[in-house]
Amino acid sequence: MGCDYHIPIVHHLHTPMGVWTMNLKQFQKVVKFAQVNFLGLFSIDVKKNNTYNLEDYFGAFSFLCWANKSANRGSIQLNLENHLPDGDSLLYTIKKGCQEDYHNMFIAITDKLLKLCQSFRVFQKINGFDIAIDYHDRPYHGNKDDEGIIGSEKEPHWAYRFATIDIIERGNAMTLFMLPYKELDTDEKIVRKLLEETKKRIKIKCLYGDQEFSYACLIDIYNELGIDYIVRAKGDYIYKKEKKTDRPTWFEYPRKRYVNKNPVYTTTIWVICIFEDKKGETKKESYFTNKKVTHSNKNKFYLWYDKRW
């Protein structure tokens, strides 16, 4: 299997303190903690005559994961006087590996990190974990014909796309699984793979997603896998209905899709929330869900959905 080295380094654990406020001493503590717990799982091909050793590459990868940067941009921010590889060295070493090995390494490190997070009570498993699903587009300056590259309105007008599942609990988030977007992939294929892999590792309490994950074919997958969900609703009819609604409400809503040119209907619950934002302005937002809706919780879905961020 060839190496899919265009996959960006996805940060495992999101923290309120970004790389901009983290000084060198703090970064060294992070690397030391990571080395103790994950260096034994870190597997890349480093030649004996290489200028850098495995620990050097691990330190550079740790910084990129924390900063959530690409190899080239991240290495510019990183103080290279600490004897860590630059972007070219990192990319050259990554290219020599293969996607399957990186995938297995990512899973092993993620599984151990999740156990550590639970032991430190970063996440607490209470009837399962809330998760968020999302697509990410990163600016791409390479060959536009490379796998996973899509058009973008932003400079340089090309982006690398990948999908992630994050655990979101107690104000913290952790990337549990990711998949690169490929030319022949469909939303159904990507979402099913992500959720099936996630269910192997954790019990899912509720899935949160934006409008990209509200299609009827995807709701069918959530129902098939027995997953509770809250996703933002989209569509012209949705927006027209919101304008005419003056109080929070909910009702059953049949979603139509086509299988072999034949219409198939999927019933979901459509919830319309009405609330004031931080500026005091009235907002209306619609959600699709399969959770139980009552008069007491009908206007709380926007608060639950905010966990996704």
Side-chain angles (χ1 to χ4, degrees), residues 125-170:
K125 182 180 178 181
I126 303 176
N127 299 321
F129 296 98
D130 286 330
I131 62 172
I133 187 169
D134 207 353
Y135 283 119
H136 308 267
D137 296 339
R138 299 292 172 83
Y140 188 74
H141 297 270
N143 189 336
K144 65 181 178 64
D145 295 323
D146 286 337
E147 188 176 56
I149 305 305
I150 63 170
S152 173
E153 295 181 357
K154 299 180 180 180
E155 293 285 350
H157 299 301
W158 300 101
Y160 183 87
R161 169 165 285 195
F162 59 99
T164 59
I165 289 282
D166 283 35
I167 294 176
I168 47 171
E169 290 286 348
R170 304 178 67 186

Side-chain angles (χ1 to χ4, degrees), residues 93-278:
T93 304
I94 292 172
K95 291 177 184 180
K96 293 188 297 182
C98 72
Q99 182 178 351
E100 185 175 6
D101 291 342
Y102 292 142
H103 171 86
N104 293 334
M105 179 176 68
F106 182 90
I107 292 299
I109 291 175
T110 301
D111 287 347
K112 185 169 184 179
L113 179 58
L114 178 57
K115 292 179 181 178
L116 285 171
C117 287
Q118 289 180 267
S119 67
F120 294 145
R121 296 189 177 182
V122 177
F123 303 118
Q124 287 186 310
K125 182 180 178 181
I126 303 176
N127 299 321
F129 296 98
D130 286 330
I131 62 172
I133 187 169
D134 207 353
Y135 283 119
H136 308 267
D137 296 339
R138 299 292 172 83
Y140 188 74
H141 297 270
N143 189 336
K144 65 181 178 64
D145 295 323
D146 286 337
E147 188 176 56
I149 305 305
I150 63 170
S152 173
E153 295 181 357
K154 299 180 180 180
E155 293 285 350
H157 299 301
W158 300 101
Y160 183 87
R161 169 165 285 195
F162 59 99
T164 59
I165 289 282
D166 283 35
I167 294 176
I168 47 171
E169 290 286 348
R170 304 178 67 186
N172 297 303
M174 172 185 160
T175 303
L176 187 66
F177 198 75
M178 68 159 291
L179 281 177
Y181 179 88
K182 298 181 180 180
E183 184 178 359
L184 299 180
D185 280 346
T186 62
D187 289 332
E188 296 99 307
K189 180 179 177 181
I190 291 175
V191 169
R192 180 179 292 277
K193 178 68 174 178
L194 282 171
L195 293 178
E196 287 178 345
E197 289 292 334
T198 300
K199 288 194 68 175
K200 292 178 183 178
R201 290 168 176 81
I202 64 170
K203 180 180 179 182
I204 300 172
K205 186 162 53 177
C206 187
L207 166 71
Y208 296 88
D210 63 17
Q211 296 175 344
E212 290 181 291
F213 300 95
S214 67
Y215 297 109
C217 58
L218 301 183
I219 289 177
D220 281 344
I221 294 175
Y222 310 150
N223 291 332
E224 177 189 336
L225 297 177
I227 296 173
D228 287 347
Y229 62 87
I230 298 176
V231 295
R232 281 293 302 272
K234 66 181 297 184
D236 292 338
Y237 179 75
I238 301 291
Y239 304 140
K240 291 178 181 178
K241 182 70 174 178
E242 284 181 351
K243 290 182 179 180
K244 296 179 180 179
T245 302
D246 58 4
R247 63 180 185 276
T249 187
W250 80 96
F251 42 86
E252 290 189 356
Y253 181 59
R255 305 292 312 287
K256 182 170 68 174
R257 65 186 181 94
Y258 289 90
V259 177
N260 297 325
K261 297 183 178 180
N262 296 315
V264 176
Y265 291 89
T266 299
T267 299
T268 185
I269 304 299
W270 175 6
V271 182
I272 300 179
C273 294
I274 302 177
F275 58 95
E276 288 189 358
D277 63 12
K278 294 180 180 179

Side-chain angles (χ1 to χ4, degrees), residues 55-105:
E55 288 78 6
D56 295 330
Y57 280 101
F58 185 83
F61 271 87
S62 298
F63 175 84
L64 295 177
C65 290
W66 183 276
N68 195 20
K69 298 292 183 181
S70 64
N72 282 323
R73 291 188 64 187
S75 64
I76 293 174
Q77 295 173 221
L78 181 60
N79 184 353
L80 298 179
E81 294 179 0
N82 294 295
H83 191 67
L84 295 177
D86 59 18
D88 289 338
S89 297
L90 282 170
L91 289 175
Y92 176 77
T93 304
I94 292 172
K95 291 177 184 180
K96 293 188 297 182
C98 72
Q99 182 178 351
E100 185 175 6
D101 291 342
Y102 292 142
H103 171 86
N104 293 334
M105 179 176 68

